[in-house]
Amino acid sequence: MSAPAPALAKLLARTPARLAIGRSGPRLPTAAYLRFLADHGRARDAVLAEVPAAVVKKLGLVELATAAASRAAYLREPRLGRTLAASARSRLARCRKRPEVQLVVVDGLSAAAVVAHAPTLLRALGRELGRRRRRLGTPLFVRNGRVRIQDEIGHALRPEVCCAIVGERPGLATTTSLSAYVIYRPTRSSAEPDRSLIANIHDGGIAPTAAARRIADLIDTCLEHHASGAALAARLAAGADASGA
Amino acid sequence: MRLAARVHGRSHRFTSVRDVLARANEPKAGDERAGIAARSHEERAAAKLVVAELTLADLRENPVAPLDEDEVSRVIDAGVDEAVYREIRGWSVGELRDWLLADDTSVAAVQRLRRGLTAEMAAAVAKISSNLDLVYAARRLPVTTRARTTVGLPGRLSTRLQPNHPSDDPDGITAAIYEGLAYGAGDALIGINPGSDDVANVSKLLELTRDLISRLGVPTQNCVLAHVTTQMRALERGAPMDILFQSLAGTEAAVASFGTSVAMLDEASAMIRERSTLRTHGGRTGRLQLMYFETGQGSELSAGAHGGADQVTLEARCYGLARRYDPFLVNTVVGFIGPEYLADGRQIVRAGLEDHFMGKLLGVPIGADACYTNHAEADQNDCDNLAALLATAGCNYFMGVPAGDDVMLGYQTTSYHDGATLRQLLGLRPAPEFEAWLVERGLLADGRLTDRAGDPAVFLPR
């Protein structure tokens, strides 16, 4: 394919979609097809990979297992990734109780995201929370975990706020995106609307250091308003109305 | 009604119609997780034997969710044509399957018969049909609908152009629309999944697509797949919308989990009839088809609202509900839900064929999003296989996405190239109005892409 006309190039520059790739008869040209396969291969590998134990150790995290004994079981049955293994419960018994902020790294659907961005994010988040003099819990890592594992951990450790940093489902464009789910006083009866979310944390989205500041600010707001998720949004909206009146 | 069968000297007993319908399914991860799947291969075969002997009356009288507890059941039951039903109530499911496959069964006879069917009956036939049965039978059940284009005519294959963008950038969306049209995609719909579900954004995207459709003179229709309430607010503010979208599910509780209800859908349907940009199209008279529904096996289990029923039967109930609104398009987004419901390519392909067959049997204009996510045991080859089978089966339309990679929803589906390939491979044409436009633009000749085709630059403003 020759270079696109300037007016078209201007439009194409605005989207990551696979456009102006040409065709071989009605099919994808070889190069475009093989690029697609390479991107899907990377995404599949990211889903199936495990976070190496050495990485967990280097980050100083206490590792917890879930009821999912394998990656395959984890992918098929979401319930397993929301339930702690018996070994995890005894480990939790030795962790700090009732901290102000509990940090949990969860592999979720992308070990690659944890390996790529959790080190920078945790270091920056540690600095931000330290500057704000927050009492931190024992930092944790959950292998084969889902977001709602933070409710189980909340039930066991009773933090004021729990922040779970979770590997997102890999796409073809990026396989290393993390999300932070922040919840005020999580319990076993917590639901999805109770969580505040900062998503798309990776080099092409919100950079990890910038994300750390946003997360720390969000934790401040949760602690100030004693709420998170939809309840926090409602309180902030009510506050804005009151100050506007 | 007999709920037991002997196979190879062993007796298999089932507790209810709902139970035996579930055990008769081909393997599905969702049914297994719900604890309702067959416990052995022989039990699955025994359940199919029992299902084949059930009468259509058994199925009508035993919907998987009771009439007094579930409005989806009530909608479907109330929609049955009693005169037709009286003629077939004594048929067994096996007899209905044989009749659908028989050489002397006419299209006109099926069109009459389907008015007497409920969702459970359509699901029951699917459970005792092989993949090729589902392809062959569905091909004989065309369902045609009309807006600016006529979709679903035999010998035609349409696509929904899906020019999604992670932040709804108008230039990025425009580039994807140009390229799609240049491949002959978009005769069913130009439908955008918005990154942000708010009235201002939805209205902006409707205006963008309306302006493009009108500047290029494309015979097609626009839609922005926001929540129904957002679209209704946009309509109230005068947004230029052709087709109104909503996701459906097969139980009242699962529909509620989507933040909607039959009453709300009734209201939305009345509003789009009142306000659609299409209402004045070409001075046409008669009943307009203005709704677009998406469905997919497993959403009821995902919402914790399956009530012990299997995902195939619940999917058929989505089509039963859709019928109430005489939709322009229904789309099974078959591989989007993930491996917790459809584990791998084999289950996705099976589900796609079941959904298309059941939809056609119940008379809805069904197309398919042949697709998969990155955490499923599936890849683009599975997507190719399903699309080729469904195109052979007479599927009304597929999605058209740049190289099959949806950069907003983060999953893979059929590409602009795939739509063009399937047409050329199987001798299928675009919708007639759209074909004429492509020919006039010099992009299609004798049903094949011309040298000009595939270049988005042909639509740049001069």
Side-chain angles (χ1 to χ4, degrees), chain A residues 7-8 10-12 14-23 26-28 36 40 43-44 47 75-78 109 146 169-172, chain B residues 32-33 165 169 171-172 176 178-179 183 340 343 372-380 402-403 405 409-410 412 417-418 421 450 453 456:
Chain A
L8 181 62
K10 186 173 148 280
L11 300 181
L12 295 173
R14 304 289 302 183
T15 176
R18 290 165 204 258
L19 291 170
I21 56 177
R23 58 193 180 88
R27 302 305 294 154
L28 292 183
F36 177 99
H40 182 245
R44 289 293 294 151
V47 167
L75 289 172
R76 276 245 195 158
E77 179 47 274
L109 286 169
R146 302 253 173 186
R169 193 175 83 198
L172 296 201
Chain B
E32 285 159 19
R33 291 205 299 119
H165 186 281
D169 182 274
D171 285 350
Y178 286 170
E179 178 142 330
Y183 279 93
E340 306 91 335
Y372 61 101
T373 59
N374 290 329
H375 62 319
E377 279 294 326
D379 61 22
Q380 203 67 21
D405 171 15
L409 294 172
Q412 289 82 246
H417 295 72
D418 293 339
T421 305
T450 62

Side-chain angles (χ1 to χ4, degrees), chain B residues 18-288:
Chain B
R18 182 169 55 208
D19 177 50
V20 77
L21 285 174
R23 309 272 183 216
N25 264 358
E26 293 296 295
K28 299 283 169 60
D31 292 335
E32 285 159 19
R33 291 205 299 119
I36 57 176
R39 286 152 292 200
S40 70
H41 292 288
E42 191 177 270
E43 186 186 44
R44 175 173 298 115
K48 288 178 196 287
L49 282 170
V50 171
V51 167
E53 295 296 318
L54 294 175
T55 64
L56 301 188
D58 291 335
L59 289 163
R60 181 161 187 206
E61 286 157 17
N62 295 279
V64 295
L67 289 182
D68 53 354
E69 291 172 16
D70 190 290
E71 67 176 0
V72 175
S73 297
R74 291 195 292 277
V75 163
I76 295 170
D77 195 73
V80 170
D81 181 321
E82 297 294 344
V84 177
Y85 172 72
R86 271 194 300 278
E87 294 166 25
I88 58 172
R89 65 188 307 282
W91 289 18
S92 71
V93 174
E95 283 168 338
L96 175 56
R97 174 183 173 280
D98 292 334
W99 185 83
L100 289 169
L101 296 169
D103 293 336
D104 53 359
T105 299
S106 69
V107 170
V110 176
Q111 276 168 348
R112 180 174 144 69
L113 175 118
R114 60 163 60 117
R115 302 205 305 263
L117 298 180
T118 64
E120 279 79 0
M121 300 174 198
V125 180
K127 287 159 200 279
I128 59 165
S129 295
S130 76
N131 285 7
L132 195 54
D133 295 342
L134 297 173
V135 169
Y136 183 76
R139 174 75 174 262
R140 290 149 50 94
L141 303 167
V143 178
T144 304
T145 52
R146 224 182 112 206
R148 289 193 188 92
T149 51
T150 309
V151 173
L153 289 167
R156 306 270 171 180
L157 175 63
S158 297
T159 57
R160 164 189 161 196
L161 207 166
Q162 184 173 304
N164 295 344
H165 186 281
S167 58
D168 297 326
D169 182 274
D171 285 350
I173 288 172
T174 299
I177 293 175
Y178 286 170
E179 178 142 330
L181 293 173
Y183 279 93
D187 48 340
L189 193 72
I190 297 178
I192 302 174
N193 299 85
S196 160
D197 191 301
D198 64 80
V199 176
N201 186 52
V202 167
S203 303
K204 182 193 81 180
L205 294 174
L206 286 166
E207 282 157 21
L208 169 78
T209 44
R210 187 271 316 266
D211 290 350
L212 273 175
I213 286 171
S214 127
R215 176 167 71 78
L216 301 174
V218 199
T220 188
Q221 30 285 325
N222 74 352
C223 181
V224 175
L225 288 74
H227 191 265
V228 59
T229 50
T230 312
Q231 292 171 87
M232 287 164 78
R233 286 206 298 279
L235 271 177
E236 281 166 353
R237 295 184 191 181
M241 182 189 302
D242 293 326
I243 303 287
L244 186 134
F245 161 82
Q246 178 55 35
S247 291
L248 295 185
T251 65
E252 180 176 336
V255 170
S257 81
F258 288 162
T260 187
S261 63
V262 170
M264 190 191 284
L265 291 169
D266 286 355
E267 193 190 333
S269 169
M271 188 183 283
I272 190 71
R273 286 190 190 292
E274 188 90 357
R275 294 175 187 252
S276 168
T277 319
L278 278 169
R279 73 192 183 283
T280 54
H281 170 64
R284 53 175 299 202
T285 53
R287 202 169 157 79
L288 295 169

